Amino acid sequence: MTADNHTEPQPLVLVADDEPDVLGAVVPFLERSGFRVLPASDGLLALDEIHRHKPDVCVLDVLMPGADGRQVLRRLRQEENWVPVLLLTQVGEGVERAMALEEGADDYLNKPFDPHELVARIRAVLRRTRNDGPPLATAPVLVSSFGLRVDRVGRRAWLGQRELVITPKGFTLLEYLMVHKEELIERSRLLEVLWGFEEAVGTRAVDSRVAELRRVLGEDAAEPRWIATVQGRGYRFVGEVRGEDGQRSL
């Protein structure tokens, strides 16, 4: 009887943060959760470690000396390095979050955070970035089933040959769900993505935006082609999604 020698290696996670207390807590927690971890105390060191060790995913604080997390992210994307990046942002900094996603971050997490949530986000990012080439987070165009096509640069969407009329927040919601396809996205998470903690709106506002998208798409909530409701939790994008470079005419 032969032993199975094809066990997949533990994913390598780079964590860059200039706060020793954060690294001191996060690094051992990730190791106990089944990851190998590369710590870095600033952005320039993080870039060096990324180039040397080619981690499977990077967790970068947005506020670091040398180079902050967004600067590291921009440098990587300019080099056409598509390593998944999760940014640690400050609570309430809605502009920071929006810019992070536009610049090619795969996800973000507000500080302070629950380390269990960090592990869940890392695993989710790894699941959806297993394919070669640019991940959905950096694709200029998202294409889904039944002729749905989203131009993230021009902020326009089509269903077949018909251009869709979607509000800015409705567009952001659709884009976020597509990039995070097949993941259960809690209502509280979507509330944070669309409005941020600084705006006092309830989770029913998220339901209203989903209802808007379904009207625009002509979707039946009972038999969804794209957006499925997870009762009491949130929503999941169930259609296939692939990224394109946007060169093909719409």
Side-chain angles (χ1 to χ4, degrees), residues 17 21 30 34 42-43 56-57 61 72 79 82 91 98 117 127 140 148 155 164 170-171 189 191 203 205 207 210 217:
D17 197 302
D21 289 347
L30 290 179
D42 64 62
D56 297 293
V57 63
D61 187 25
V72 173
E79 296 171 355
W82 308 115
V91 170
E117 178 70 7
R127 279 197 303 272
L148 178 60
R155 310 301 286 175
L164 304 175
F171 188 96
R189 175 70 170 167
L191 185 66
T203 54
D207 298 334
V210 171
L217 294 168

Side-chain angles (χ1 to χ4, degrees), residues 27-40:
V27 170
F29 190 90
L30 290 179
E31 289 174 339
R32 290 194 300 271
S33 300
F35 300 103
R36 293 175 296 140
V37 185
L38 275 173

Side-chain angles (χ1 to χ4, degrees), residues 11-12 33 37 39 55 60 94 104 119 144 150 156-157 183 199 208 211 230 244:
L12 179 61
S33 300
V37 185
L60 308 174
V119 168
S144 186
V150 174
R156 302 168 72 187
E183 290 181 40
E199 295 197 36
S208 296
V230 181
E244 291 188 354

Side-chain angles (χ1 to χ4, degrees), residues 13-28:
V13 180
L14 177 133
V15 180
D17 197 302
D18 64 322
E19 297 181 45
D21 289 347
V22 173
L23 287 181
V26 169
V27 170

Side-chain angles (χ1 to χ4, degrees), residues 186-202:
E186 304 272 358
R187 284 181 173 84
S188 58
R189 175 70 170 167
L190 293 173
L191 185 66
E192 179 188 321
V193 168
L194 295 175
W195 286 276
F197 288 124
E198 63 270 22
E199 295 197 36
V201 295

